[in-house]
Amino acid sequence: MKGIILAGGSGTRLYPLTKIISKQLLPVYDKPMIFYPLSTLMLAGIRDILLISTPQDLPKFQELLGDGGQFGIHLSYAEQPKPEGIAQAFLIGESFLNGEPCAMILGDNIFYGGWFSKNLDEAVKNAYDGFATIFGYYVRDPRRFGIVEFDSHHNVVSVEEKPENPKSNYCITGLYFYSSGVSELAKKLDPSARGELEITDLNRLYLQENRLKAQVLGRGFAWMDTGTVDSLMEAAIFVETVQNRQGVVISAPEEIAYYAGWINHNQLVDAANLYGKSLYGQHLFRVAQGFFIN
């Protein structure tokens, strides 16, 4: 299975913070925002990942992440010259995907929950079985989001993009798993009224074929879309609170790679030395010294 991180866009809701830098390179407490979606794909067992961003921002991502070898993965890069919708990622990444099942995550989405790996494992299985999987999360103002409607058995009934009269309070988060051939389906989409290839329309095609599944991220789970100043601050406070209370680090790619057996002890220590006396570097040293039980 392959993965895509869509980290494009102009980030105008965060101006002036993002006037000269991608929002996905901004800090969320102790690490760059991009570490969070990268970690999500790695937790799903995905090691071949394409990062899509603007021509001006791609060199900065490459400088930060390199080829992914320090994380035990392989990273590729592709340009999105003009933002024309989330589903455009599957056209840009068509040759990279090469017909394989995939996961796609937005570069400003953060997920945290103790059972998340089980959710991801099920979504991976669904993709290999020919299904797409979306993740529903309860929100107070559903008119701001793409919305999924369920029946009593959590089967998907409908998906809508920012509806005036929402049929549920469950928004569709920025993490999607798709079966092989998703790029061919994306080619069938027509641009919406705002000139974009909508991910909701792609999900609707799967729904019409009875191939769309949904998982509810319920009580005790945290999902954050860090696209505004307020949500960026809320995410930083959340990460700081959890990490300081529990003594863990949320979304440390080197730690994930080490426990997965993708990098060895020496590589983990090298990463810790690279980050030095920072909170992040000191955490990697503690992982290398066996202070945590995986």
Side-chain angles (χ1 to χ4, degrees), residues 58-178:
L58 270 183
K60 301 182 184 73
F61 285 108
Q62 290 174 300
E63 183 178 357
L64 175 67
L65 302 173
D67 64 3
Q70 71 273 35
F71 309 130
I73 63 176
H74 181 263
L75 279 171
S76 305
Y77 299 88
E79 292 184 359
Q80 185 185 35
K82 181 181 177 184
E84 295 179 331
I86 295 174
Q88 185 188 24
F90 301 108
L91 304 183
I92 295 172
E94 182 179 13
S95 60
F96 165 79
L97 294 177
N98 195 29
E100 292 188 35
C102 69
M104 195 271 286
I105 188 169
L106 303 185
D108 60 359
N109 272 226
I110 297 174
F111 295 84
Y112 182 73
W115 58 92
F116 193 33
S117 291
K118 293 182 179 179
N119 295 111
L120 297 174
D121 289 345
E122 185 175 337
V124 169
K125 181 180 182 301
N126 289 342
Y128 278 106
D129 288 342
F131 294 88
T133 301
I134 55 177
F135 296 83
Y137 189 84
Y138 187 92
V139 291
R140 293 180 180 177
D141 185 6
R143 289 175 296 181
R144 294 175 48 231
F145 302 92
I147 295 299
V148 56
E149 178 191 8
F150 304 103
D151 65 17
S152 59
H153 300 288
H154 284 174
N155 297 312
V156 180
V157 175
S158 68
V159 289
E160 297 179 286
E161 182 65 26
K162 298 179 180 177
E164 269 303 311
N165 300 297
K167 296 177 181 177
S168 87
N169 281 78
Y170 284 90
C171 78
I172 302 170
T173 69
L175 174 63
Y176 316 86
F177 284 74
Y178 293 106

Side-chain angles (χ1 to χ4, degrees), residues 216-277:
V216 174
L217 302 175
R219 201 179 286 267
F221 199 95
W223 167 70
M224 290 156 281
D225 172 355
T226 54
T228 67
V229 173
D230 286 343
S231 60
L232 183 64
M233 179 63 72
E234 289 170 1
I237 292 171
F238 174 84
V239 172
E240 186 265 348
T241 300
V242 171
Q243 292 189 173
N244 286 343
R245 289 288 183 92
Q246 298 184 2
V248 300
V249 166
I250 297 174
S251 298
E254 295 92 348
E255 180 180 10
I256 295 169
Y258 178 65
Y259 285 137
W262 300 347
I263 63 173
N264 59 35
H265 184 268
N266 289 339
Q267 290 171 299
L268 180 63
V269 172
D270 287 344
N273 282 321
L274 177 66
Y275 298 121
K277 295 181 179 179

Side-chain angles (χ1 to χ4, degrees), residues 42-60:
M42 292 174 64
L43 285 172
I46 298 172
R47 302 181 68 179
D48 198 359
I49 297 170
L50 175 69
L51 191 149
I52 299 174
S53 190
T54 64
Q56 61 268 30
D57 288 322
L58 270 183
K60 301 182 184 73

Side-chain angles (χ1 to χ4, degrees), residues 84 188-198 201:
E84 295 179 331
K188 298 180 180 180
L189 300 178
D190 294 319
S192 64
R194 58 179 183 172
E196 296 189 358
L197 300 178
E198 304 286 357
D201 290 338

Side-chain angles (χ1 to χ4, degrees), residues 90-91 94 99 180-189 202 205:
F90 301 108
L91 304 183
E94 182 179 13
S180 60
V182 64
S183 295
E184 292 301 318
L185 278 179
K187 291 177 184 178
K188 298 180 180 180
L189 300 178
L202 178 62
L205 290 180

